[in-house]
Every structure is written in C-alpha cells, then in structure tokens.
Amino acid sequence: MTQCRPSHPKRLGAVAGALALIAAATTGSGADELEEYKRMLADPFANPGWLYADEGEALWNTPSGPKNATLEQCDLGLGAGVVEGAYAQLPRYFADVDRVMDVETRIAWCREELQGIPFAETAKSAFSKRGAKSQMEQLVVYVASKSEGMPITVPMTHEKEQEALALGEALFYRRSSVLDYSCSTCHSIDGARIRLQDLPNLTDHEGAASAMTSWPTYRVSHESVRTMQHRMWDCYWQMRMPDVAYGSDVTVALIAYMTKVAEGAEMASPGLKR
Amino acid sequence: MADPKPRIKVPKTASKGEVVTIKTLISHPMESGQRKDSAGNVIPREIINKFTCEFNGQPVFGCDLDPAISANPYMEFTAKVEESGTFTFSWTDDLGKVITTEEKIEVS
C-alpha cells in the first residue's frame, strides 16, 4: 500500500470526489470517520441520485417502446398524468388490474400498456449492472423525488390491501431456508448492525420511517440508484433464500407492510447510502 | 444516451465582494482502468480528467482528476464575485469529450 496523499496539495480547495477520499481515509473503529462521512453525505445537492431523477424525468416524457408513446398518461393512483405525490401513496389497490401494486409494478404495467414494452423485458433489466444503467431505476427515483416532503399515506382499506398487509407481516417474521433467517432476524431489534451498517428496526415506526422515506436511494458502493424492489431481492439473497421475482406478490406485500409501519413520515428520496 | 446534464448550484444573487459557494455534480462512470470485466480483460480507463470554471472569461478554479475519484464526481469550491456575470463550467474526459454549462449571477 502506498501512502494515500493528494498529489497536488494546492488542489485541496475542492471537495472533489469526497466520497472516494473518505473511503480511503477510514481506519480503526471507524465511528468518528463514519460520523464525518455521514455529515458529508447529508448535503442533498451532493447526491448523484438527483442526476438519476433528472434522467428519469427525461425518460418519462420521451416516446419509447413499440408503441412509441410516453409515460405521461400513466395513472400512479392519483389519476392519469399525476406524478406529484403519487409515490407517497403507494402501494395501493388498482381496480383496473384488480390487485395491489407498488410503484415499480405499476410503472412496469404502464410501460406495457402505454409503450408496449413487455413486463418480462422490464423485469430483466430492472436492476442496473456495470456499464448498463437501468431505465426503471431512473424512472422510479424520478417518481419518488416528486413526493419529496410529502407524508406517506397508505390507508389500506380495500380487502386486497388488507390481504397484502397480512401477507407482508407474516412473511416478515417467517423464518426459512438454509440459514433459518427471516427479515425480522435483522430488522426487529434496536441498535443492531452488520459490520458498520446500522440496521433499522422495521417493526418500529421510527425505524421503518428512516428506511421507507429514503428509498429509492443512491448507493455509493453500487455506483447507482437502487430501488425497494432491489432491496427485497438483495435481502432475499442475503438470507440465502430462492431468488424473489421482480414485482412479485411477495415483494409488494412486504413493501406494503413496511410502508404501513412508516405511515406519516415524510418522503426524502433520493437518499444516499453506502 | 444524451450527454449528461450537470447539476449546478450557484446563488442567483450576491453582494459585491461576497464569497459564494458553488457546487457541481455530473454523471460519469469514472472507469479507473484498474478493473477487469467478467472475461478477465482490463476495462480501459475512462475518467473525467480535467475540470475548469471561469467567470466572465477569467479562470476561477480548475483541477485535474485522477482515477481514484468516484463515479458521478461532486465538486464544491468558493469564488469571490465583484461584478455580475456568467460562470462557465467545463469537464473534459479521456475520450476528449467536453461538457460545458453556464450559470449567471447578479451582483449588486
């Protein structure tokens, strides 16, 4: 290892690539450095997630797919064409498909209906990989950013919404697979962490609020925005369970349950995480 | 993909002689040249290697960027403004592509 030092000391006037420099400077227990890191991350303007939101907005309004149409007429629950505030009121029941949808299944449905892009195609490219950005990640963070500062409001009164809530809660606590883990193994205790990652207690309003208001989030280690569907898929992988399908009833139910626990908290997406 | 549209934060107005904080954020993969693809081949370096900021044609701030800087570089710096005018920002990458954007400020 060579010493990590700026090659041009006079350049220190800029916090250029602060995230990279901080990562290199972290040593020892990391508690103080972590606080410093979090302070630097707290500036919303420094969050590359907003670049993705800009890209998502351009995508939303650009004709695309076999039908060469835009997503402007997509009904996210507040009427066709209303994006403002829609994210904060999802998941919800949609009569036109007679099921509960989260933001991602709904946008994917709109892409199929309005633009003619099959759901399978959306699902295949839903998560960005190195060198291949995901349009879904951009669209989702754009929609989420349009609910900034709005309280999460999910009444969940419809019979199918009640069903999703009950299923989500049951899944949250259900231990299975080779590690005998459930979501609650990591996310039902206060003050738990994996390495230096604080784990929110999702059974508690505060904990669920901190998570649900900050996703979709920019993940520095992934160099990309990640969505709640990706978090579900990743958690299932970490629990060594079979892959959970993109937009499946399982993911929507879990998201419905966690969103309900977080109800009332104000949206602040894109967040910024390790 | 169209050219990335940088996000710039410059105050709309300032008083003469004030030191203003400028923030810039641009979308770029900043491929370091140190990574390999799944076939084991080195992914060629492709980073933004240079950033400049001018005010009414006068240099204000500039720097070279190196491969260790993370994707989507964020830069924050300060400038003392004596008159109204235009900041011109420009990023140059390894392929020789230059992305330029402008932001005006009213100084009274």
Side-chain angles (χ1 to χ4, degrees):
Chain A
M1 271 303 279
T2 52
Q3 276 288 298
C4 183
R5 60 188 163 78
S7 48
H8 302 266
K10 66 175 184 295
R11 282 209 245 126
L12 288 175
V15 192
L19 305 179
L21 294 177
I22 287 289
T26 305
T27 53
S29 76
D32 293 350
E33 288 88 347
L34 196 66
E35 283 315 304
E36 173 68 10
Y37 180 55
K38 283 180 176 165
R39 239 198 324 279
M40 293 178 96
L41 292 183
D43 180 352
F45 191 85
N47 184 346
W50 286 104
L51 297 167
Y52 286 69
D54 289 346
E55 287 159 353
E57 181 167 25
L59 277 175
W60 190 266
N61 301 308
T62 306
S64 154
K67 295 186 182 175
N68 199 33
T70 71
L71 287 167
E72 284 160 298
Q73 287 308 303
C74 180
D75 179 355
L76 294 166
L78 302 181
V82 184
V83 177
E84 199 95 6
Y87 189 100
Q89 298 187 36
L90 285 160
R92 68 192 304 154
Y93 171 79
F94 286 90
D96 53 13
V97 284
D98 190 32
R99 65 186 174 104
V100 177
M101 286 174 148
D102 71 327
V103 67
E104 289 171 77
T105 41
R106 189 62 183 178
I107 294 173
W109 183 82
C110 282
R111 273 162 63 103
E112 185 149 21
E113 285 293 301
L114 302 170
Q115 302 180 315
I117 301 165
F119 179 86
E121 203 173 303
T122 294
K124 212 167 50 202
S125 60
F127 305 146
S128 58
K129 295 181 183 70
R130 186 188 290 176
K133 276 191 174 180
S134 146
Q135 294 197 337
M136 272 309 275
E137 282 167 356
Q138 295 168 334
L139 291 167
V140 174
V141 77
Y142 158 62
V143 171
S145 72
K146 288 290 182 190
S147 284
E148 201 191 8
M150 298 182 190
I152 292 176
T153 311
V154 280
M156 299 275 168
T157 46
H158 190 277
E159 180 193 351
K160 295 224 167 174
E161 290 171 337
Q162 291 284 325
E163 240 172 62
L165 269 187
L167 175 62
E169 184 168 11
L171 285 166
F172 186 86
Y173 289 101
R174 188 174 186 279
R175 292 165 63 169
S176 49
S177 191
V178 292
L179 295 180
D180 204 24
Y181 262 50
S182 70
C183 310
S184 64
T185 310
C186 294
H187 289 292
S188 64
I189 19 182
D190 288 330
R193 58 185 176 80
I194 292 180
R195 297 179 299 272
L196 285 175
Q197 294 310 295
D198 294 326
L199 297 166
N201 178 350
L202 299 174
T203 62
D204 163 73
H205 172 76
E206 288 302 309
S210 75
M212 302 315 282
T213 57
S214 58
W215 287 79
T217 189
Y218 183 80
R219 290 202 60 186
V220 177
S221 58
H222 293 214
E223 292 185 355
S224 180
V225 158
R226 291 302 192 193
T227 64
M228 206 22 103
Q229 281 286 342
H230 183 271
R231 187 62 268 174
M232 295 298 101
W233 174 82
D234 208 9
C235 276
Y236 265 68
W237 176 81
Q238 287 178 314
M239 294 190 287
R240 301 301 184 269
M241 295 211 193
D243 268 356
V244 68
Y246 185 77
S248 58
D249 290 349
V250 165
T251 58
V252 174
L254 276 167
I255 292 168
Y257 166 67
M258 295 185 298
T259 308
K260 188 67 185 174
V261 180
E263 190 159 34
E266 285 176 9
M267 284 302 301
S269 173
L272 190 57
K273 297 178 196 293
R274 184 193 62 89
Chain B
M1 197 63 206
D3 275 355
K5 193 172 58 124
R7 288 179 83 99
I8 311 281
K9 200 168 187 176
V10 174
K12 292 262 175 287
T13 59
S15 46
K16 194 170 155 50
E18 190 181 336
V19 175
V20 295
T21 298
I22 296 164
K23 298 175 178 182
T24 74
L25 183 66
I26 190 167
S27 174
H28 198 279
M30 296 294 282
E31 190 56 63
S32 69
Q34 306 283 340
R35 299 198 299 177
K36 291 178 176 160
D37 63 17
S38 48
N41 304 313
V42 172
I43 304 169
R45 182 183 119 156
E46 192 195 322
I47 66 168
I48 290 173
N49 56 44
K50 190 171 171 255
F51 171 75
T52 61
C53 169
E54 293 183 344
F55 184 64
N56 293 345
Q58 294 293 313
V60 171
F61 173 77
C63 65
D64 298 329
L65 282 77
D66 295 307
I69 292 175
S70 59
N72 308 319
Y74 165 69
M75 287 198 241
E76 186 182 312
F77 52 94
T78 54
K80 195 170 178 179
V81 288
E82 300 288 357
E83 57 187 32
S84 297
T86 307
F87 284 102
T88 308
F89 305 90
S90 112
W91 292 259
T92 307
D93 78 3
D94 285 347
L95 303 174
K97 195 165 81 177
V98 182
I99 293 159
T100 305
T101 185
E102 292 186 341
E103 214 49 59
K104 288 186 169 34
I105 187 166
E106 284 293 324
V107 176
S108 51

